[in-house]
Amino acid sequence: MSKQEINGVCPFDCPDACGLVLTVENNKVLKVNGNPKHAFTRGTLCPKMVHYEDTIHSPERLKIPLKRVGPKGSGEFVPISWDEAVKTIAQRFKESIEKYGGHSIMPYSYAGTMGLIQKAAAFPLFARLGAVRHNRGICSPAKTYGWQMVMGDTFGTRPQEMSHSDFVILWSLNALATDIHIMHDVNAAKARGAKVWVVDIYNTTTCTQADEVIITKPGTDGALALGILHILERDNLVNRQFIDNYVVGFDELTKEILPQYTPEKVSAITGVPAEQIEKLARAYGMAKAPFIRLGSGLSRYGNGAATVRAITCLPAVVGAYKKLGGGLLSDAKGSFYVNDKIMSWDVHAGKVVPTFPMVKLGEVLTKSEEPIRCLYVYSSNPAITAPDQNLVRRGLAREDLFTVVHERFMTDTAKYADIVLPATSSVEADDIYNSYGHYTSGIGYKAIEPVGESKSNWDTIRLLAKAMGITDPFFDKTALDLIHDLLDQSPNVPDELKTKLFGGEPVEMPVPENYKMNFKTRSRKIEILNPELAEPLPVFTAPHSDTVAHGEFSLINAPDLRILDSSFNERIFDKNKTLMGAWLNPADAASIGVKPGDMVKLYNEQGSLQMPVHIDDGISPKTVVSYGVWWQRYSSDPKHSINVLTSSRLTDYAEGSTFYDVKVDITPL
Ligand SMILES: Nc1nc2c(c(=O)[nH]1)N[C@H]1C(S)=C(S)[C@@H](COP(=O)(O)OP(=O)(O)OC[C@H]3O[C@@H](n4cnc5c(=O)[nH]c(N)nc54)[C@H](O)[C@@H]3O)O[C@H]1N2
Ligand SMILES: Nc1nc2c(c(=O)[nH]1)N[C@H]1C(S)=C(S)[C@@H](COP(=O)(O)OP(=O)(O)OC[C@H]3O[C@@H](n4cnc5c(=O)[nH]c(N)nc54)[C@H](O)[C@@H]3O)O[C@H]1N2
Ligand code: SF4
Ligand SMILES: [Mo]
């Protein structure tokens, strides 16, 4: 095959969902560039994806199916054929269902690929088998829920509108690490004279881009938002006309809640000086078109949804949605356009099937009543990424659990498998992608043949369905057929845009006129008061780390620039073991009695972990930051990695993860 340029989409779980241009020759990807025609990412990629070809053609790619021969978790395998692998799996599943029922088997997956077909590939099969189903709560469902509590299904503000804003808050978003393309819009706003503030719990690299930085105590941003609302109301900086026309419950909030949130009290809760709270409130209230871009960090706390709910009230009371450039972006609503209903579990089960919170994987795998007997993991690496690692690994180590892992690499989870199946990378399969950070969608066509004998998620599921005796013609469809079906059933995508999508172009969906003011709630207004909820008005409640979690330090396990959750670990060529570390400020390091390079033990009720110390002035007092979710081989601890310290406690609503709502004690080793 001669040299060709083929458009694609970055498949990773990142709000940017960049447009790609792959240079392909002789069934090899030579180079990966950004697609300049992409409306949000405009031709650039982050450092992780610049050499995606090194992941695609990595010598570590799994190429053939494997069968376990050593003890669970030892990683001792022998090669087998696909035929044998599929027969074995089908037989084990059938036996389990006959003996114990569909509830003895469970698929576990997340967003190794964000492609709508490959991500949900197992649902049509496992729904028919009556398997146990988990929610998709490991990331930040409380953020989505907090927005919905006030705004229902209203569209989030287009990020590109930010360039028209005069006051931007990057709130709990380390944009330079996790959402770099938003900086284009931030810089465009700055160029027109906008002020940019960052709200975080320590001085991240993104803070260097800000006019002013607010550092809160972890899990207290809800109180900060209520404090700002208090000042806006007290100083008559609210937009009464907007509130009268479009907001429900502001008077109740003013009467019942806001009096308690004086700047002094909020300062005591959040650690932010009262003068800075006053300054932020004034700047926000006096801005013509303030824009908040909300990240996920603050939603990963026991009070995550309540926090997002309180912040979501801010643009409502100043009438920001009526102004070009004003508003709030929590998540973009790509599913309004391109939706994956044809892959949905409920559709294939023919009923609404209850879910359990996926962060409870450890509990589910170790329960003694009606135990799970067969586990099918794909597109996820829970031995590393799931909280409460000790319990998760105890579950995965069960000799009586038959585990299949479909993976691109020999991850720590794959090491626990009875059967490992080799998975394609995104460029070896067809799929269609939405973004959750803007309104662009795109199709990524198969650009090269699968590496080795690897198969896509959907092709593997089709084989399994056949081997299980399922004759439904749904499983005769290819991924490309499903993309066609899916777009046929996406009535909000105009026909000419469907044609563009099929042509491989990244397509920005046109938001409806007046989209920010079309409030999709029951009252058709912004609902500060929502009588359906246990707490009808926004309130601040303490995070777990102030109540049930114990330890002197808050532990923040922040994303690392080089990896994305545990993806891209294969790209780390420097195999020294110091990738994981504990960043402390100088005073805390001195009080523990350690200097850079010393080993410390971090421990709490969940477990313990040893790490080398690094010092950084920007880390807040009594806070320890550890970057990245590393594979065990890059861990500074022989037995565990970061999630041995995190817990499976849930968020207040939506059964989400609370990765950052964790306390630890630290002692020198
Ligand atoms: N390089 C890289 N990029 C990534 C990822 C990665 O691992 N690496 N992961 C991807 C995924 S899956 C996701 S979900 C997104 C997440 O990306 P973001 O939405 O940016 O979320 P986080 O980076 O988890 O947290 C954002 C910031 O919140 C801060 N924070 C933590 N607790 C609080 C708090 O209580 N209050 C405030 N104000 N701030 C707080 C953290 O210090 C961090 O700087 O990034 C995606 N992009
Ligand atoms: N301590 C701590 N833990 C965290 C986080 C944190 O910040 N701190 N972040 C959390 C967040 S926000 C998230 S979203 C989760 C993500 O956690 P996971 O869902 O486990 O995501 P990854 O670690 O990226 O693992 C995805 C795996 O899918 C594989 N994969 C990629 N493409 C395909 C494919 O097409 N088919 C198959 N079968 N496999 C494929 C990749 O090789 C990779 O091993 O982690 C969470 N865990
Ligand atoms: S990981 Fe995110 S920023 Fe990087 S290329 Fe992919 S979508 Fe773009
Ligand atoms: Mo995530």
Side-chain angles (χ1 to χ4, degrees):
M1 184 172 68
S2 61
K3 210 185 252 187
Q4 262 184 301
E5 288 197 337
I6 301 175
N7 287 355
V9 182
C10 176
F12 291 97
D13 183 2
C14 169
D16 293 13
C18 291
L20 309 179
V21 179
L22 311 158
T23 307
V24 175
E25 189 177 33
N26 292 331
N27 220 23
K28 258 197 122 170
V29 178
L30 303 181
K31 204 166 62 172
V32 180
N33 288 324
N35 186 341
K37 291 195 185 132
H38 192 284
F40 179 72
T41 61
R42 306 173 181 93
T44 59
L45 302 176
C46 71
K48 303 181 289 296
M49 274 300 274
V50 166
H51 287 291
Y52 186 35
E53 70 277 6
D54 289 341
T55 287
I56 299 164
H57 299 293
S58 163
E60 294 194 41
R61 276 288 295 274
L62 293 169
K63 298 194 179 70
I64 38 173
L66 302 169
K67 180 172 85 176
R68 175 168 73 95
V69 287
K72 280 253 167 156
S74 66
E76 291 167 45
F77 295 100
V78 293
I80 52 170
S81 66
W82 266 97
D83 198 37
E84 183 185 343
V86 167
K87 272 195 189 133
T88 310
I89 298 166
Q91 192 191 338
R92 290 296 296 260
F93 281 9
K94 274 199 240 168
E95 278 169 14
S96 193
I97 293 167
E98 268 160 33
K99 240 169 142 173
Y100 308 107
H103 265 63
S104 62
I105 62 178
M106 178 174 99
Y108 179 94
S109 69
Y110 198 62
T113 166
M114 292 293 279
L116 298 180
I117 306 296
Q118 307 298 347
K119 180 177 170 186
F123 297 178
L125 172 62
F126 285 87
R128 281 175 174 74
L129 300 180
V132 170
R133 175 188 184 189
H134 63 71
N135 74 357
R136 307 286 270 180
I138 201 167
C139 184
S140 43
K143 179 171 137 181
T144 312
Y145 198 89
W147 163 269
Q148 285 172 340
M149 284 161 103
V150 183
M151 302 297 287
D153 282 331
T154 310
F155 277 65
T157 309
R158 275 180 79 231
Q160 294 97 325
E161 266 204 42
M162 193 190 276
S163 61
H164 298 280
S165 169
D166 58 337
F167 187 71
V168 172
I169 307 181
L170 301 179
W171 200 321
S172 189
L173 180 79
N174 188 5
L176 287 187
T178 61
D179 187 14
I180 53 166
H181 294 92
I182 196 87
M183 292 313 293
H184 177 98
D185 303 295
V186 173
N187 290 330
K190 269 188 187 171
R192 296 170 69 130
K195 294 286 176 234
V196 177
W197 288 41
V198 170
V199 186
D200 208 295
I201 49 162
Y202 73 100
N203 255 293
T204 64
T205 46
T206 303
C207 296
T208 59
Q209 307 297 303
D211 294 292
E212 186 136 355
V213 174
I214 297 233
I215 301 292
T216 61
K217 280 190 200 149
T220 65
D221 300 68
L224 179 61
L226 292 169
I228 299 170
L229 288 163
H230 174 107
I231 298 165
L232 292 173
E233 194 275 333
R234 181 198 69 193
D235 294 355
N236 208 16
L237 290 167
V238 295
N239 183 335
R240 283 281 164 198
Q241 205 186 6
F242 184 92
I243 291 171
D244 289 346
N245 287 329
Y246 306 111
V247 179
V248 182
F250 183 65
D251 288 343
E252 289 85 344
L253 184 78
T254 302
K255 225 168 40 218
E256 293 170 36
I257 307 291
L258 295 186
Q260 307 157 47
Y261 292 93
T262 59
E264 295 67 34
K265 176 158 175 216
V266 170
S267 176
I269 299 172
T270 60
V272 182
E275 313 79 70
Q276 209 188 14
I277 301 170
E278 296 271 2
K279 190 175 169 193
L280 171 58
R282 254 194 324 279
Y284 189 79
M286 290 166 77
K288 289 197 186 75
F291 189 114
I292 297 174
R293 175 65 170 106
L294 197 58
S296 299
L298 52 66
S299 75
R300 299 196 184 108
Y301 288 82
N303 59 7
T307 298
V308 174
R309 181 188 191 187
I311 294 172
T312 303
C313 294
L314 293 170
V317 306
V318 298
Y321 295 115
K322 252 200 143 161
K323 321 267 183 63
L324 177 67
L328 187 150
L329 177 60
S330 171
D331 293 307
K333 233 171 82 71
S335 60
F336 173 79
Y337 299 99
V338 178
N339 68 66
D340 58 357
K341 284 191 194 114
I342 61 159
M343 300 300 287
S344 113
W345 189 299
D346 291 339
V347 164
H348 288 275
K351 60 180 181 195
V352 177
V353 176
T355 59
F356 77 86
M358 73 184 289
V359 295
K360 296 282 183 195
L361 179 67
E363 281 94 321
V364 170
L365 290 182
T366 52
K367 70 188 166 88
S368 49
E369 239 173 77
E370 297 194 338
I372 302 292
R373 296 171 195 268
C374 299
L375 175 69
Y376 183 88
V377 182
Y378 71 101
S379 295
S380 189
N381 184 14
I384 293 294
T385 55
D388 198 355
Q389 188 167 83
N390 271 328
L391 202 59
V392 169
R393 291 195 184 176
R394 202 185 309 155
L396 290 172
R398 270 175 47 204
E399 279 296 334
D400 64 334
L401 179 71
F402 174 71
T403 301
V404 180
V405 177
H406 188 204
E407 246 302 339
R408 301 175 311 159
F409 295 100
M410 184 50 76
T411 58
D412 295 282
T413 306
K415 286 183 185 159
Y416 283 99
D418 293 277
I419 304 248
V420 180
L421 301 172
T424 47
S425 77
S426 61
V427 302
E428 298 150 54
D430 298 315
D431 217 331
I432 181 161
Y433 303 82
N434 279 328
S435 154
Y436 57 95
H438 48 83
Y439 291 98
T440 313
S441 304
I443 291 179
Y445 289 112
K446 176 173 162 181
I448 59 169
E449 287 305 314
V451 167
E453 295 180 15
S454 63
K455 290 191 193 296
S456 72
N457 295 351
W458 176 241
D459 286 346
T460 304
I461 289 296
R462 290 173 67 197
L463 281 178
L464 280 175
K466 292 252 145 62
M468 303 267 319
I470 294 175
T471 54
D472 191 323
F474 188 79
F475 295 96
D476 296 332
K477 292 176 192 273
T478 63
L480 203 53
D481 296 334
L482 292 176
I483 293 172
H484 279 272
D485 289 359
L486 186 153
L487 280 174
D488 279 348
Q489 295 179 37
S490 293
N492 294 327
V493 183
D495 283 343
E496 72 270 21
L497 295 187
K498 287 183 184 166
T499 309
K500 279 193 172 176
L501 282 170
F502 281 121
E505 281 185 53
V507 172
E508 190 181 27
M509 299 296 160
V511 288
E513 210 178 313
N514 213 18
Y515 74 103
K516 290 190 293 179
M517 291 294 291
N518 184 2
F519 305 117
K520 298 187 178 196
T521 57
R522 280 167 46 140
S523 62
R524 300 281 140 199
K525 291 186 174 187
I526 298 175
E527 294 178 345
I528 289 181
L529 174 74
N530 190 333
E532 305 278 302
L533 296 166
E535 291 282 5
L537 288 165
V539 287
F540 170 72
T541 51
H544 294 316
S545 40
D546 280 355
T547 52
V548 287
H550 302 292
E552 205 187 343
F553 286 81
S554 293
L555 169 68
I556 301 300
N557 12 101
D560 188 281
L561 271 178
R562 292 164 288 183
I563 55 176
L564 191 141
D565 304 321
S566 79
S567 291
F568 293 104
N569 266 267
E570 75 284 352
R571 290 272 294 287
I572 307 295
F573 300 114
D574 173 10
K575 303 255 189 291
N576 75 47
K577 295 266 177 183
T578 57
L579 295 174
M580 213 166 80
W583 271 258
L584 292 165
N585 76 28
D588 283 333
S591 79
I592 300 167
V594 288
K595 52 183 190 328
D598 286 355
M599 292 300 281
V600 285
K601 183 170 88 169
L602 277 63
Y603 61 98
N604 61 15
E605 66 278 11
Q606 301 293 129
S608 78
L609 193 66
Q610 63 183 54
M611 288 199 220
V613 169
H614 301 267
I615 309 280
D616 179 344
D617 287 336
I619 307 297
S620 307
K622 298 292 175 214
T623 301
V624 53
V625 178
S626 181
Y627 299 94
V629 187
W630 299 100
W631 283 356
Q632 189 59 49
R633 78 175 181 210
Y634 297 118
S635 174
S636 46
D637 186 284
K639 291 218 177 84
H640 302 111
S641 61
I642 190 71
N643 277 315
V644 75
L645 296 170
T646 60
S647 100
S648 66
R649 289 184 292 260
L650 298 175
T651 48
D652 42 0
Y653 295 88
E655 302 191 319
S657 64
T658 58
F659 283 110
Y660 298 158
D661 203 353
V662 170
K663 290 268 187 174
V664 292
D665 283 308
I666 305 180
T667 183
L669 275 178

